[in-house]
Amino acid sequence: MSPGEDGLIGIPFPEHSNELLSHLNDQRRTGLLCDLTLTSHGARYPTHRSVMAAVSLYFRRLFGAEEGGGEGGGGFSVCQLDCVAPDALDALLEFAYTATLTIPSSGMRDVLRGAQLLGIQCVADACRDILGETAEAEGQEVSAGEQRPPQATSERTVEIANVVEKISRRKTDRKKVKKVGLPHNFSPLNPLPASPASHPSPASDSFRSLPPTQPPSPEPEELHPKLGQNGDPRAIREPGRGATLNGEFPHWAKERSLIAHPPPTQNDKLSEDDDMEGLDMMRSSSFPSSVADRGAATSVAGGGRKRKSQTPQQCPVCQKIIHGAGKLPRHMRTHTGEKPFQCSACGVRFTRNDKLKIHMRKHTGERPYTCSHCPARFLHSYDLKNHLSLHSGARPFECPLCHKAFAREDHLQRHRKGHSCLELRTRRPRRGPELGEDGGEKEGSPLSLQAHPSMFHPRSVLEGGGGSGSIGGPSLIFPSGIDRERSLALQALAQLAPQRLASYPELFLRGLEMQGGRDLEREDPGGTRSPALQHDRWADEVEDEEIEEGE
DNA sequence: CTGGGGAGGGGGCCC
DNA sequence: TGGGCCCCCTCCCCA
């Protein structure tokens, strides 16, 4: 084999990053190999310097300067971050190790503040979106220029101190998970804005002058760091070795060009060409989002990354292969529960605008599907199709057990599931392995109910608890109170389409709220709802019946 | 139990 | 590549 580039084979291990992160999180929780302790108001958080440097621009700069500056080979072991509320720091650490940000709405501002201070851009962006705030609004006061001199340090620190006090007062409602309101400009038939820039809500007073971390944007409201070299005067270095949150914030602007990405816009794709050091790191710490991404990952080693075709794409949550360009975001909404399309008449919300369009027919009275044999009109084409079978008298769907015929396949399914012919059902154990071989003879018949070996069998991340194939891996730790699947979905969405985080409030809160109700009921943890599984089981039953008839 | 309607979700086609 | 539109399938609910 030639040692040249042609001989290289890229074998992707898409779960590697997830497993790696998961193991690091385990180490963090057990204190294993922790070489850095973050403290905030007495709370201590063992962590890893490498992880923090990877996720936080602040720490990257801090440790980079530490090593480059020769401040000591051992480095800091304790970093006091009293300027970040303990809960927020906890949430940010959780994010760093799980790629999941789980916070109550009441703590959103604390986390935003912490993310800004620590230079965790994507978290800051997400929080800003949730709060309906724009970087522009926050930056109004500090828009004088990108290079605010360090003289601003003193006022900055005072503000931070005040802010932290406010944070402490607000912490009492830490546990209250409230639904964040939709953006004010949300309107029926008008999806949530795709860009946080379209959120006109001003930032809160206590927030305006915090050091911004918004990436460079063409808007004149571009923020600039206001925190001076002593960002937090109360942060003290512990005896011996310790670090304070200081020194590096003025350099945000310098490095921002490395991590920045344009504000989410319609064209905000994962532009691999951009040198998005920080964000790429964070993204890669999440999980593969699609088949295409896996392919892309294989070419990363070569330097320039190519974006392969997005079709088909694999759902990072349920692993399902989604066919069709642009269909994955649509599919992802089935996990996140995001319903950006709201009926202006009744307020019902939908995941898809075409569903909303059909729904609107109820209000407009439009029934475009008219029966040619009777005055019956229908909202759905499939209803008309079913209806026509009544005229024709066709009942192509026959129960293989009791031979009762139905005009609709779903009615046959219901019949089969019910007790109608339960007593006639299979009386022998399944013969699994032979199933696929016999299926062909029934192909094409509605009665066949044949198995489709090629059909995808979705693996529910909720079932079994094993989750070895799920994105986060079995050891990913998700805080109680948030649905695991939706947590994964949120991660995936953040990675797939950052611009869609404009609708993050809905997503996030769906994730927090979804603990029951119809949606969960419909998720069918047992997987029985999977069409493929259903067909397989039916095929088994039909096969059994055939055997019995043969006997 | 059955017929019918509404809705959720996936895929194909097109722009 | 993403979104709109449509068709299809499936499930749930109601009368």
Side-chain angles (χ1 to χ4, degrees), chain A residues 9-52:
Chain A
I9 300 175
I11 303 176
F13 292 87
E15 297 299 323
H16 171 72
S17 59
N18 312 321
E19 294 172 357
L20 180 66
L21 202 61
S22 178
H23 292 153
L24 285 171
N25 195 30
D26 289 342
Q27 292 180 9
R28 175 178 73 104
R29 294 183 177 278
T30 59
L32 181 64
L33 300 177
C34 289
D35 52 2
L36 173 69
T37 298
L38 305 181
T39 70
S40 174
H41 297 275
R44 300 173 66 84
Y45 301 94
T47 181
H48 301 94
R49 289 155 51 100
S50 56
V51 174
M52 296 312 299

Side-chain angles (χ1 to χ4, degrees), chain A residues 188-403:
Chain A
L189 291 172
N190 190 16
L192 288 167
S195 168
S198 60
H199 293 257
S201 308
S204 67
D205 291 339
S206 64
F207 240 24
R208 285 179 185 162
S209 55
L210 284 176
T213 56
Q214 183 72 6
S217 77
E219 284 81 8
E221 298 83 1
E222 166 60 38
L223 305 177
H224 70 281
K226 198 178 178 182
L227 189 62
Q229 285 196 329
N230 295 300
D232 183 6
R234 295 176 302 145
I236 58 173
R237 182 174 297 195
E238 291 202 354
R241 305 184 327 176
T244 59
L245 178 56
N246 66 358
E248 301 305 326
F249 276 115
H251 305 292
W252 282 134
K254 298 177 185 176
E255 190 159 353
R256 203 178 291 168
S257 60
L258 295 178
I259 65 167
H261 64 290
T265 65
Q266 284 186 328
N267 296 326
D268 185 17
K269 303 180 175 75
L270 298 183
S271 54
E272 289 81 358
D273 292 340
D274 294 342
D275 185 2
M276 298 188 294
E277 172 185 297
L279 291 176
D280 274 355
M281 172 273 302
M282 295 178 192
R283 285 166 181 163
S284 63
S285 69
S286 179
F287 44 76
S289 62
S290 68
V291 176
D293 284 349
R294 295 182 183 183
T298 65
S299 59
V300 168
R305 288 188 288 178
K306 295 178 181 179
R307 185 182 188 87
K308 295 174 67 177
S309 171
Q310 287 291 315
T311 55
Q313 296 169 295
Q314 184 176 27
C315 172
V317 176
C318 67
Q319 317 299 318
K320 186 172 186 177
I321 302 299
I322 303 299
H323 300 274
K327 293 297 188 298
L328 185 55
R330 187 182 75 176
H331 168 80
M332 291 307 298
R333 287 200 288 267
T334 68
H335 296 299
T336 65
E338 178 194 13
K339 295 183 176 181
F341 305 98
Q342 186 174 28
C343 173
S344 59
C346 65
V348 176
R349 305 177 71 174
F350 297 89
T351 60
R352 291 158 50 170
N353 62 345
D354 56 337
K355 300 304 178 185
L356 173 60
K357 182 180 178 181
I358 294 175
H359 166 82
M360 290 305 293
R361 294 171 183 168
K362 291 172 59 181
H363 301 294
T364 62
E366 179 190 4
R367 289 175 174 267
Y369 303 98
T370 304
C371 176
S372 57
H373 305 289
C374 72
R377 299 160 66 205
F378 301 91
L379 293 174
H380 306 91
S381 61
Y382 201 71
D383 293 333
L384 174 59
K385 177 186 173 183
N386 291 330
H387 173 79
L388 288 176
S389 65
L390 297 178
H391 285 295
S392 65
R395 290 175 172 264
F397 303 99
E398 180 180 332
C399 175
L401 299 181
C402 67
H403 298 287

Side-chain angles (χ1 to χ4, degrees), chain A residues 382-383 385-387 389-390 394-400 402 404-421 425 446-447 449 538:
Chain A
Y382 201 71
D383 293 333
K385 177 186 173 183
N386 291 330
H387 173 79
S389 65
L390 297 178
R395 290 175 172 264
F397 303 99
E398 180 180 332
C399 175
C402 67
K404 180 176 177 59
F406 297 86
R408 280 169 50 170
E409 184 179 8
D410 58 332
H411 286 169
L412 171 59
Q413 291 186 29
R414 185 176 59 186
H415 168 79
R416 292 294 306 270
K417 288 180 180 178
H419 302 289
S420 301
C421 45
R425 282 196 172 181
L447 298 174
L449 303 175
W538 282 25

